[in-house]
């Protein structure tokens, strides 16, 4: 059931009016619980980070799932491990649920895996004063811990009673299993039983240094361009009989994209290009093999690219323009382009903005400042996008850090407590 944006906007205004003077006595108790147990949250984060859980380290992913599953069980959730078919070569997902009849039905999204595989030389955990470096500290084990600690604070004061909350921690967010319809089935099914989705990828700060909320994320998709020319002696190039060759035609098309397709929040990046008398790529389009000579007109060329968009309407415009450019062939050449969708867009909707308003009000009431929206074009793809078309959603509720996916990935320790306080108050208000 998708919550109507207008109805939720009214709820947001009501929450704002009720709490304009600050936190209620119950909410003050929630904040006190978070602060009293911040050290426990950091210890849980350290335990999880010290388990390597690269996407393809299935044992490690399951071990982190077991650690977090024990936390949810202690909070009264029913937990299960959702196995993926063996052919998919993915570890599976942790699902935790509790059923009630009070307030909004919430879906909380995190992930267990990191980009650092078992043979990674990146340190697991290294504390440096008020910051921590390590594998997945902010992407996104920090966000997972924020979910758990916010729920723990609510549990301690009895505020989880009679609430409906589903938690899905996927085991392959960094490299989603194929087919997507199978690897994200649990998440999509949970969304169909929920009213609002909250995802805990890292909090991004804007140019003014403020923590933000994510109301939109661009889709992730790909394209493949295939070009054919007439092989022949290079001295005849540009003539009517010989034509221009495949490489010139590929260059014309790619530069046509650059000149004619650009619009805000839309990107299309050619990541691999090969051309010659023979040119082939592997099934994934990540490795090429090519042969040719400087005195031979190129017979074939292939370009593999990435396409990111904020709405299906924007995607369709881009596809139409790109196809039109591909069809305007130079003499002696032909070309075709195919597209493959992967992550759907999380379009910025009034409903998403309304959820952000409630979150921002919770932050202001707790003395942590306003939370503005992050420009949607500034985030890549994430799990929330598989459910955003079904219900109002908000992402970026996790920890604050730098260098995600790099050896320098780190986390600001204080951001765990800040985000946990905001989250706990948000969950409390939504489930009343």
């Amino acid at each position: 059931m998708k919550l109507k944006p207008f109805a939720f906007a009214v709820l947001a205004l009501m929450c704002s009016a009720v709490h304009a003077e600050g936190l209620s006595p119950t909410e003050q108790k929630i904040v006190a619980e978070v602060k009293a147990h911040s050290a426990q949250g950091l210890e849980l984060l350290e335990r999880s980070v010290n388990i390597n859980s690269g996407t393809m380290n299935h044992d490690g992913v399951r071990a982190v799932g077991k650690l977090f599953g024990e936390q949810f069980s202690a909070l009264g959730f029913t937990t299960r491990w959702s196995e993926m078919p063996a052919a998919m070569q993915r570890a599976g997902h942790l699902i935790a649920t509790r059923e009630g009849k009070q307030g909004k039905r919430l879906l909380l999204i995190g992930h267990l895996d990191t980009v650092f595989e078992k043979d990674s030389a990146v340190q697991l955990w290294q504390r440096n004063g008020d910051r921590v470096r390590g594998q997945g500290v902010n992407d996104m084990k920090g966000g997972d811990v924020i979910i758990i600690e916010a729920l723990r604070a609510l549990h301690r004061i009895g505020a989880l009673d009679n609430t409906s909350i589903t938690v899905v921690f996927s085991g392959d967010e960094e490299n989603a299993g194929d087919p997507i319809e199978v690897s994200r089935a649990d998440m999509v099914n949970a969304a169909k039983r929920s009213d609002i989705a909250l995802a805990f990828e890292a909090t991004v700060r804007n140019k003014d240094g403020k923590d933000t909320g994510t109301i939109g994320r661009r889709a992730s998709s790909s394209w493949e361009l295939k070009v054919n020319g007439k092989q022949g002696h290079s001295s005849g190039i540009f003539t009517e009989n010989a034509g221009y060759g495949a490489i010139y035609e590929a260059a014309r098309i790619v530069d046509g994209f650059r000149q004619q397709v650009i619009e805000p929040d839309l990107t299309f990046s050619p990541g691999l290009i090969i051309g010659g008398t023979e040119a082939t790529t592997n099934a994934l389009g990540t490795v090429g093999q090519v042969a040719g000579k400087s005195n031979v007109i190129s017979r074939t060329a292939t370009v593999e690219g990435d396409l990111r968009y904020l709405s299906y309407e924007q995607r369709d415009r881009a596809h139409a323009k790109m196809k039109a450019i591909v069809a305007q062939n130079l003499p002696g050449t032909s070309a075709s382009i195919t597209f493959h969708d992967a992550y759907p867009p999380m379009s910025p909707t009034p409903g998403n903005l309304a959820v952000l308003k409630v979150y921002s009000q919770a932050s202001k009431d707790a003395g942590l400042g306003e939370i503005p929206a992050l420009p949607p074009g500034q985030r890549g793809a994430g799990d929330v996008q598989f459910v955003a078309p079904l219900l109002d959603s908000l992402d970026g509720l996790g920890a604050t850090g730098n260098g995600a996916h790099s050896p320098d990935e780190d986390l600001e320790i204080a951001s765990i407590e800040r985000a946990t306080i905001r989250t706990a108050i948000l969950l409390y208000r939504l489930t009343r």
Side-chain angles (χ1 to χ4, degrees):
M1 180 183 76
K2 181 169 175 63
L3 185 63
K4 293 181 180 178
F6 176 76
F8 193 77
V10 172
L11 173 63
L13 291 172
M14 290 172 61
C15 287
S16 175
V18 171
H19 299 285
E21 299 303 320
L23 303 178
S24 69
T26 300
E27 291 169 342
Q28 291 174 23
K29 292 180 182 178
I30 293 171
V31 173
E33 289 291 343
V34 172
K35 291 183 175 181
H37 296 88
S38 288
Q40 178 181 342
L42 188 61
E43 290 170 5
L44 177 60
L45 178 61
E46 182 176 3
R47 289 174 64 192
S48 68
V49 172
N50 277 328
I51 302 170
N52 174 276
S53 58
T55 308
M56 304 311 294
N57 179 8
H58 298 173
D59 289 341
V61 172
R62 291 189 180 97
V64 177
K66 181 176 184 295
L67 172 63
F68 287 156
E70 291 169 351
Q71 314 305 311
F72 289 118
S73 294
L75 300 178
F77 283 75
T78 299
T79 63
R80 67 181 178 89
W81 186 259
S82 177
E83 292 282 357
M84 294 294 101
M88 289 178 59
Q89 300 182 38
R90 294 297 184 272
H93 315 306
L94 172 65
I95 316 293
T97 58
R98 62 180 304 134
E99 299 293 334
K101 298 181 179 179
Q102 177 176 289
K104 300 301 175 185
R105 301 170 298 172
L106 304 182
L107 169 60
L108 311 183
I109 297 172
H111 65 83
L112 304 167
D113 64 320
T114 76
V115 298
F116 304 99
E117 293 298 341
K118 198 170 184 178
D119 59 354
S120 172
V122 175
Q123 73 276 5
L124 289 169
W125 175 271
Q126 182 182 38
R127 181 164 180 173
N128 301 305
D130 60 358
R131 304 190 74 87
V132 168
R133 294 178 61 176
Q135 297 182 8
V137 286
N138 76 59
D139 187 15
M140 66 166 294
K141 291 178 179 177
D144 297 336
V145 168
I146 287 165
I147 292 174
I148 292 168
E149 292 305 311
L151 293 171
R152 201 189 309 277
L154 296 177
H155 177 71
R156 288 195 183 102
I157 68 164
L160 284 184
D161 296 345
N162 200 30
T163 61
S164 289
I165 300 174
T166 300
V167 182
V168 178
F169 281 0
S170 60
D172 61 350
E173 193 273 347
E174 301 294 0
N175 188 356
D178 188 37
I180 287 288
E181 294 76 13
V182 175
S183 64
R184 291 301 174 270
D186 290 300
M187 192 173 293
V188 171
N189 289 335
K192 292 177 180 177
R193 301 189 302 271
S194 303
D195 299 314
I196 299 168
L198 303 172
F200 289 78
E201 291 277 8
T203 295
V204 177
R205 285 188 173 140
N206 64 15
K207 60 182 181 180
D208 298 322
K210 291 184 177 180
D211 291 346
T212 65
T214 299
I215 61 170
R217 298 183 75 143
R218 295 188 300 163
S220 174
S221 66
S222 61
W223 49 273
E224 181 180 64
L225 175 67
K226 292 283 191 180
V227 182
N228 294 306
K230 294 180 180 179
Q231 184 174 333
H233 198 286
S234 61
S235 63
I237 198 166
F238 309 144
T239 64
E240 183 176 350
N241 287 336
Y244 282 67
I247 291 177
Y248 267 121
E249 171 65 347
R252 177 199 70 81
I253 292 170
V254 171
D255 193 54
F257 292 168
R258 179 187 66 84
Q259 295 190 56
Q260 301 176 45
V261 186
I262 287 177
E263 62 179 74
D265 296 320
L266 177 73
T267 58
F268 37 90
S269 171
L272 178 149
I273 182 168
I274 56 173
T277 54
E278 301 291 337
T280 59
T281 61
N282 65 351
L284 296 176
T286 57
V287 177
Q289 194 167 28
V290 63
K293 296 182 69 178
S294 62
N295 62 352
V296 178
I297 298 172
S298 57
R299 184 183 63 83
T300 183
T302 297
V303 184
E304 304 285 350
D306 169 89
L307 176 67
R308 295 177 185 262
Y309 49 87
L310 202 50
S311 69
Y312 288 119
E313 292 78 11
Q314 187 175 55
R315 176 200 66 181
D316 293 344
R317 286 196 304 272
H319 283 189
K321 290 178 182 178
M322 294 169 82
K323 288 177 181 178
I325 292 168
V326 169
Q328 298 165 7
N329 304 126
L330 291 171
T333 69
S334 62
S336 63
I337 189 168
T338 56
F339 299 94
H340 175 69
D341 288 340
Y343 281 62
M346 177 185 179
S347 300
T349 65
N352 295 353
L353 185 59
V355 181
L356 174 62
K357 287 180 179 178
V358 181
Y359 182 58
S360 180
Q361 188 64 50
S363 180
K364 288 192 292 184
D365 291 345
L368 298 174
E370 178 185 15
I371 306 293
L374 181 73
Q378 294 186 16
R379 292 211 81 143
D383 268 345
V384 71
Q385 291 167 237
F386 293 106
V387 303
L390 301 175
L391 75 177
D392 297 327
S393 304
L394 181 64
D395 200 351
L397 278 64
T400 303
N402 300 310
H405 290 204
S406 82
D408 298 321
E409 180 169 336
D410 79 346
L411 172 146
E412 177 196 356
I413 293 173
S415 72
I416 297 285
E417 181 176 284
R418 287 199 307 271
T420 302
I421 289 171
R422 291 168 177 153
T423 298
I425 297 172
L426 174 66
L427 299 183
Y428 177 76
R429 293 181 179 182
L430 293 179
T431 54
R432 293 310 95 188

